Amino acid sequence: MKGQNQTLAAEFTLVGFYDFPHLLVPLFLAFLLIYSLVLVGNLLIMVIVYSNTQLHTPMYFFLTNLAFLDICCTTMIFPNMLAHFFLEVTHISLSGCLLQMFLFSTMVSTEFSLLTAMAYDRYVAICKHLQYVTTMNDVVCMKLAAVCWLLSFIDPIPHITLTSRLSFCGSHTINHFFCDVAAVMKLSCSSTSAVELALYIMGTLFGVAPFALTIASYINIISTILKIRSKGGRRKAFSTCASHLTVVILSYGVICSTYMRPSSTASVKYNKVFSLLYVAITPLCNPIIYSLKNEEFKNIRRKTKNTK
C-alpha cells in the first residue's frame, strides 16, 4: 500500500538541457528554428499534395499521413521543451508523464506502420503494376492508414499500464527533456522487469515485424527492377523508391541508435542527444528528402518556375 501511495503521489522534475548551461541560448535558438522548419516543411508537403491532382495517388496519401504525424510528434514535445529554457525547474505529474510516454510510443509505432504501408504500395506498383489501380484503390488506402493509426494506439498500452504501477521512492528528477520510458524506469525503486518484457514484446510486434515486411517488400522490388532490360526503365523504377527507401533507412537508423545501443555505452547526456535525432532531425529531413529526391515534386517545381 505504501508503494502504491508513493506512485500516485509522484511528481517528476524534468532537467531538460540545464546540464548544458553555457549552451542554453544557442540550443533554444536552434530548437526554435528546427521546430519552425519542421512545421513549414511538412505543412508544405500536405498543401502541395492536396492542391495538385497529379499527386492524388496512394504514395502521396501515405506521405501526407507521415507529414501530419511528424507535425504531431514535434508539437507534442517541442513547445514544452522550448518553455523549459525559461524555467529552471519544470514539474510534470505522473499522469502527464504517462500520457507523454503513451503519445510518443504511439507516434513511433505509427511511423513504422506507415513506412511499411508505403513499402507495400511501392511493391504493388513495381512488382504487380498491372493490378496496381485495383489493388491500391482509395478504399484500400484509407483502410491501411486507419489500421496503421489504430493498431499503433495498442502498442504502448502494456508498458504504460505496467509503468503506472511502479513505485518511485527515491529521486523524482528525470534527466531528459521529455518523459522517456527508459529515463523514468531508472527512477523506480521496484522491479522493472515486467515493463522491459512488455517493451521487448511490443517492440518486436510493432517495430521488428514492420521492418521485416519492409525489407521483404524491397527484396522483391529490387529483384523485379534488376530484371528490367532498359537502363531508363531501371532508373525510373529506382527513382520511384529512392525517397521512401532513404526515409526508411533514416528512421530505423535513428531509432536503433537511440534505443538499441549497448547499455555500457549509454549515458544520460548521450541519451538526450540521440533522442533529439528522432524527435527533431527525422521530421525535419523527411520533407527535404521527398522534395529533393522525388521526380513528381521536381516536375511541380519546374512547372511553378515556368509559370512565373
Side-chain angles (χ1 to χ4, degrees), residues 201-240:
I201 294 172
M202 302 310 283
T204 301
L205 291 175
F206 291 90
V208 177
F211 180 68
L213 291 172
T214 301
I215 292 298
S217 296
Y218 270 100
I219 289 172
N220 284 284
I221 288 169
I222 294 170
S223 175
T224 301
I225 290 174
L226 292 176
K227 293 176 183 177
I228 299 174
R229 294 184 178 180
S230 67
K231 290 184 179 179
R234 287 197 298 269
R235 191 181 302 112
K236 184 178 180 181
F238 271 120
S239 69
T240 64

Side-chain angles (χ1 to χ4, degrees), residues 24-56:
L24 287 180
V25 174
L27 284 174
F28 173 80
L29 295 174
F31 295 154
L32 181 61
L33 177 62
I34 290 172
Y35 182 50
S36 301
L37 290 174
V38 168
L39 292 182
V40 171
N42 285 286
L43 281 172
L44 276 176
I45 291 285
M46 296 172 70
V47 170
I48 290 171
V49 172
Y50 178 78
S51 58
N52 288 272
T53 54
Q54 69 190 77
L55 298 180
H56 292 181

Side-chain angles (χ1 to χ4, degrees), residues 109 154-156 158-159 162 193-210:
S109 298
I154 298 173
D155 173 22
H159 74 259
L162 292 168
S193 57
V195 182
E196 291 169 5
L197 178 62
L199 283 168
Y200 176 80
I201 294 172
M202 302 310 283
T204 301
L205 291 175
F206 291 90
V208 177

Side-chain angles (χ1 to χ4, degrees), residues 10 92-100:
I92 185 169
S93 65
L94 175 63
S95 57
C97 201
L98 292 172
L99 177 61
Q100 199 172 60

Side-chain angles (χ1 to χ4, degrees), residues 37-110:
L37 290 174
V38 168
L39 292 182
V40 171
N42 285 286
L43 281 172
L44 276 176
I45 291 285
M46 296 172 70
V47 170
I48 290 171
V49 172
Y50 178 78
S51 58
N52 288 272
T53 54
Q54 69 190 77
L55 298 180
H56 292 181
T57 62
M59 186 176 77
Y60 292 102
F61 169 74
F62 291 119
L63 178 57
T64 54
N65 274 265
L66 191 62
F68 176 71
L69 177 72
D70 285 339
I71 291 172
C72 291
C73 187
T74 51
T75 301
M76 179 188 71
I77 292 175
F78 265 73
N80 284 334
M81 184 175 71
L82 291 171
H84 291 175
F85 284 93
F86 300 99
L87 304 170
E88 188 170 349
V89 178
T90 304
H91 300 291
I92 185 169
S93 65
L94 175 63
S95 57
C97 201
L98 292 172
L99 177 61
Q100 199 172 60
M101 284 191 289
F102 177 86
L103 292 175
F104 181 74
S105 297
T106 299
M107 299 299 172
V108 174
S109 298
T110 306

